[in-house]
Amino acid sequence: MAFERLARFYRSCLLQIIIVGLVAFCEPGIWTALNNLGAGGNAKPYLNNAANALTYGLMSVGCFLAGGVTNKITAKWTLFIGAAFYTPYAAGLYCNNRYGNEWFLLLGAALCGIGASLLWASEAAIAVGYPEEEKRGRYVAIWMSIRQMGPLVGGAISLALNVNTAHVGKVTYTTYLGLVAISSLGAPFALLLSQPQDVIRSNGTKIPYMKKTSLSVESRAIWKQLRNKYMLLLIPVFLAGQFGATYQGNYLTTYFTVRSRALASFLTAVVGAAANISTGLFLDLKFLSRGTRSKITYIFVLVFVTASWIWNAVVETKLSHMAEPPAFDLGDGPFFNSAFTVYIFFRFFYEVLQTYIYWLMAEIKGAQGDGDIARTTGILRSWESIGSTIAYAVGATHWPNLNQMALGFALWGVTIPFTLLAVFGNWNVAQTIGVEEEEQTDSSSLEAQRVVVNSDGKD
C-alpha cells in the first residue's frame, strides 16, 4: 500500500511540476542569478550583453522549432538535452571573470542558446500542459517560484562573498564556483521526469500528447497555430516583456556597488517567489470565473508595471543628468533608497506579469490538442527570445541608459492595446488535430479554426 502511494506520487502532476521546477532552478534560475548581479557579475555590461544577445538570437529560431522537437522525442528528453547545454555559460562567466577569457563565454552563450531553446519550450509545455485546468495557476506558480530559488541561492552566495565590496566593479571569481556546480545538476534532475502517458492526474483525465509525428505534421500544425488570432495578440507582450529586465541589469551595473548588486539579486528572488505564488493562487480562485480572474490580474499588472516604469523614468532622468554616475552603496540616503526600491518594485511586478502570461498562454483556445501546447509554448517563447535578442543587442552598445529606459517603456505601452483585446475579447475556437498512420505514411487532419470576438467581454 505504501509503495503504491509512493508510485502514485511519483507519477503525480505535482511531482512533475516540482521536477521541472528543480531543473529550472538549476538552469534558467542560476542563469538569472548570474544576470541579476548586473552584467553577469562583471564590471562592464557590454560583453555579457553581447553574449546574451547571441543566446537569445539562437533561441529566437530554436524555440520556434523546439515544440516540434518536443513532440518528436518527448518533453522529458528535450528537457534533459536542453539542461545539459546550460552549464558552459556559467563556466564561461567564471573564466572571463578570473582569466579575462572571452571566447569561452561566447561559446557557452551559443551552447546555452541551443539548450535554452529546447528547455524553454519543453518546461513551459510541461508546466502548463500537465496540470489539471483547475490547478494550473498554482502549478505554474510552483514551477516559477522554485525557479526563483536559483536567484535566491545565487544572491545569497554572492551577498556572502561580496558583502565587504563597497565599490563598483566585478564580483569575486569565487562567486561563480557554487553556481557552476548547481547548474550541472539540472540534466540529472530532468531524468526523473515521467512521460505524459504515465502521469496520473487527480481528476483521472489524460494528458494530450503526440503518439507519432513527422515534419509535415508539425509544419502544418505550427502554421495552424500561427493563424490563431488569440495567440497573435499575445505576441507583443511576450516580445516586449524582456526589455525591462535587460535595462534593469544595466541600471544595476552602472549605478550600484558590488554588494548593493548582490543584495538586489537576493531580494529580487524573494519578491519574485512571492509574486509567483500569490499570482498563481489568485488565478486558481474558484469563486471567480476564469475570465474575471484574468481581467482583474491584467488590470492589476497594467497599473503597477506602468507605475514602475514611470517611477524608474523619474529616477533614471535624475541619474542621467548627473555629471558622474553615482556609486550607490547601502545606506547612502533617500535617493539610494528610491533608486534601489524602484528596482525591487519593478522586479516584483515583472514576475507577476510572467506568471500571468504563462497562465494566459495555456488558456489559448484550441491549444490543448495533441502536441499543441508544445507548439504554442515554442512559438510564443520564440517571440520572447526575439525581444530579448534585440534588448541585449541594445544593451551591448554604449547607448545611454536613459534611451534604453525610454525604449523599454515605449514598447510596454505598445503591448497594452493588443493584450487588452486578448484579455477582454471572448474567443471561441473550434479545432482538432488528428494524426494517423497508414502503411508507414503519416497524415494529419487540421480543421479550420473559427475565431469570434465578442467586444462586450462576457465570460
Side-chain angles (χ1 to χ4, degrees):
M1 184 64 70
F3 178 79
E4 183 179 341
R5 285 199 299 268
L6 182 62
R8 287 186 65 84
F9 176 70
Y10 180 72
R11 300 298 186 187
S12 67
C13 278
L14 176 60
L15 185 62
Q16 309 314 306
I17 298 303
I18 291 172
I19 292 170
V20 171
L22 289 172
V23 175
F25 158 71
C26 295
E27 308 308 347
I30 294 301
W31 186 95
T32 303
L34 291 165
N35 281 273
N36 280 352
L37 294 172
N42 291 319
K44 299 293 182 182
Y46 310 114
L47 176 63
N48 189 62
N49 282 338
N52 287 343
L54 174 60
T55 296
Y56 280 109
L58 290 168
M59 289 173 65
S60 64
V61 177
C63 284
F64 191 83
L65 304 174
V69 174
T70 299
N71 287 335
K72 185 68 176 177
I73 67 173
T74 74
K76 174 179 179 175
W77 294 110
T78 307
L79 190 71
F80 170 76
I81 296 169
F85 277 66
Y86 257 86
T87 307
Y89 170 75
L93 281 173
Y94 166 79
C95 291
N96 176 251
N97 182 284
R98 186 170 186 183
Y99 304 112
N101 182 297
E102 295 184 358
W103 71 265
F104 187 40
L105 174 58
L106 295 174
L107 174 62
L111 292 173
C112 184
I114 297 169
S117 299
L118 300 172
L119 187 142
W120 272 32
S122 56
E123 69 164 354
I126 295 166
V128 303
Y130 274 28
E132 304 89 330
E133 184 177 293
E134 64 273 13
K135 296 181 179 179
R136 186 172 291 132
R138 75 194 74 168
Y139 280 3
V140 168
I142 290 170
W143 160 52
M144 298 193 76
S145 58
I146 295 175
R147 186 179 67 176
Q148 287 294 339
M149 295 303 103
L152 183 66
V153 172
I157 293 172
S158 176
L159 185 60
L161 293 174
N162 297 283
V163 68
N164 295 317
T165 311
H167 56 76
V168 296
K170 62 183 182 180
V171 302
T172 60
Y173 69 83
T174 52
T175 304
Y176 297 94
L177 296 177
L179 302 182
V180 172
I182 294 171
S183 181
S184 67
L185 298 175
F189 277 133
L191 293 175
L192 299 175
L193 196 70
S194 295
Q195 297 289 12
Q197 64 270 29
D198 297 325
V199 175
I200 302 173
R201 283 175 163 176
S202 60
N203 61 7
T205 59
K206 297 295 184 182
I207 297 171
Y209 72 99
M210 295 294 288
K211 297 181 178 67
K212 186 175 180 64
T213 190
S214 67
L215 179 61
S216 63
V217 169
E218 291 301 322
S219 298
R220 294 176 64 187
I222 288 173
W223 174 243
K224 183 206 66 177
Q225 289 294 84
L226 288 172
R227 301 199 312 273
N228 186 322
K229 295 179 183 178
Y230 183 92
M231 186 181 74
L232 293 177
L233 289 170
L234 295 181
I235 286 175
V237 73
F238 272 86
L239 190 147
Q242 291 292 328
F243 264 84
T246 306
Y247 158 71
Q248 290 290 333
N250 287 359
Y251 171 85
L252 205 61
T253 305
T254 304
Y255 302 125
F256 293 87
T257 63
V258 170
R259 65 180 179 182
S260 296
R261 287 156 56 185
L263 177 62
S265 177
F266 177 77
L267 292 179
T268 295
V270 174
V271 301
N276 298 145
I277 293 170
S278 57
T279 306
L281 290 175
F282 177 79
L283 289 170
D284 276 349
L285 291 178
K286 290 184 171 57
F287 67 87
L288 295 173
S289 69
R290 280 188 299 169
T292 301
R293 282 175 269 152
S294 178
K295 292 166 188 174
I296 291 173
T297 305
Y298 181 66
I299 293 300
F300 177 80
V301 167
L302 174 60
V303 170
F304 283 98
V305 171
T306 303
S308 300
W309 275 115
I310 293 171
W311 186 0
N312 217 144
V314 172
V315 172
E316 180 62 60
T317 301
K318 291 181 180 179
L319 292 170
S320 296
H321 286 87
M322 291 182 176
E324 292 291 334
F328 283 131
D329 194 28
L330 305 179
D332 272 356
F335 195 21
F336 164 80
N337 294 339
S338 177
F340 189 84
T341 303
V342 70
Y343 176 83
I344 302 300
F345 190 81
F346 183 95
R347 299 297 300 195
F348 176 85
F349 291 105
Y350 171 79
E351 288 299 329
V352 173
L353 173 64
Q354 290 295 298
T355 304
Y356 172 64
I357 61 177
Y358 283 113
W359 178 87
L360 196 64
M361 178 171 62
E363 295 300 304
I364 293 176
K365 310 302 186 295
Q368 303 300 322
D370 290 357
D372 271 340
I373 196 68
R375 301 182 194 104
T376 301
T377 55
I379 292 169
L380 289 176
R381 300 207 84 166
S382 176
W383 283 103
E384 187 176 4
S385 300
I386 291 170
S388 297
T389 302
I390 299 170
Y392 279 113
V394 170
T397 68
H398 290 264
W399 212 34
N401 280 357
L402 182 63
N403 293 354
Q404 294 184 43
M405 181 278 302
L407 177 60
F409 195 178
L411 287 172
W412 166 249
V414 169
T415 71
I416 293 172
F418 296 100
T419 313
L420 281 171
L421 183 56
V423 172
F424 283 85
N426 184 20
W427 299 82
N428 298 304
V429 181
Q431 62 185 164
T432 60
I433 293 181
V435 181
E436 299 178 354
E437 180 185 5
E438 296 181 3
E439 298 179 355
Q440 300 182 346
T441 301
D442 295 332
S443 63
S444 65
S445 173
L446 306 177
E447 292 184 8
Q449 62 179 347
R450 178 172 56 86
V451 181
V452 179
V453 182
N454 185 351
S455 59
D456 64 8
K458 293 180 181 178
D459 299 324

